Amino acid sequence: MSRRVALSVVAGVVLLGGAGAFALAQAGEQTPALAHSTARYSAPEGDRDGSLVFVTDVTVPSGVTNVKVLAWPQHSSFAEKGLTAKDMAAAEPAVCKPSGPNTVRCTYTAEVTGADAESSPRGAWHVAVLATAQNGTTTLDTEAADFTVR
């Protein structure tokens, strides 16, 4: 192998190695991405409880540490002042299972009793999601999905 070819090969390996390191560094800093978020609300009926089921896909190369979910009525203090990550501290966790490369499908299910339904404001509700990656980055979507309480 000529010296010129050998130098070209070495330069190519160094360039590819540097690009790979840059890609890994970028992947380590990425925030979680939410996709395909849906909410399904079923009101209690007779002696049967209702439910709220929320599902979302979370993708982040570093992996997901936790996903918290909070349903909130459109006409509330959160609508006035804005929902923050600090407000999500007491939110309930979703259950997440791997669903693809760097992606988990997270499901949150809450039982809705007759008493819950009676005391809940009627109208539009939103579902907020706070996803935390293993690298410490977070994503907050205050209106990831909507549903209506009638």
Side-chain angles (χ1 to χ4, degrees):
M1 181 176 340
S2 76
R3 187 174 184 173
R4 179 178 286 174
V5 172
L7 287 175
S8 295
V9 169
V10 169
V13 168
V14 168
L15 181 64
L16 288 176
F22 177 75
L24 283 175
Q26 292 297 331
E29 295 174 12
Q30 287 182 344
T31 60
L34 305 175
H36 312 294
S37 300
T38 60
R40 185 175 33 108
Y41 174 77
S42 301
E45 209 173 298
D47 62 350
R48 180 187 61 82
D49 287 338
S51 65
L52 170 63
V53 178
F54 172 78
V55 178
T56 192
D57 291 332
V58 183
T59 302
V60 64
S62 69
V64 175
T65 300
N66 66 53
V67 174
K68 292 191 173 192
V69 177
L70 176 68
W72 59 280
Q74 180 172 323
H75 300 290
S76 70
S77 62
F78 290 138
E80 295 168 15
K81 67 174 181 138
L83 188 64
T84 66
K86 186 176 178 181
D87 295 321
M88 297 292 291
E92 296 181 347
V95 175
C96 300
K97 296 182 179 180
S99 65
N102 304 319
T103 301
V104 293
R105 171 149 295 170
C106 300
T107 304
Y108 169 78
T109 304
E111 183 179 277
V112 180
T113 66
D116 292 335
E118 286 296 317
S119 65
S120 295
R122 301 292 182 250
W125 283 62
H126 305 292
V127 178
V129 181
L130 177 65
T132 304
Q134 288 180 357
N135 65 9
T137 60
T138 60
T139 295
L140 173 63
D141 186 344
T142 60
E143 296 182 21
D146 303 312
F147 64 97
T148 302
V149 174
R150 299 187 194 282

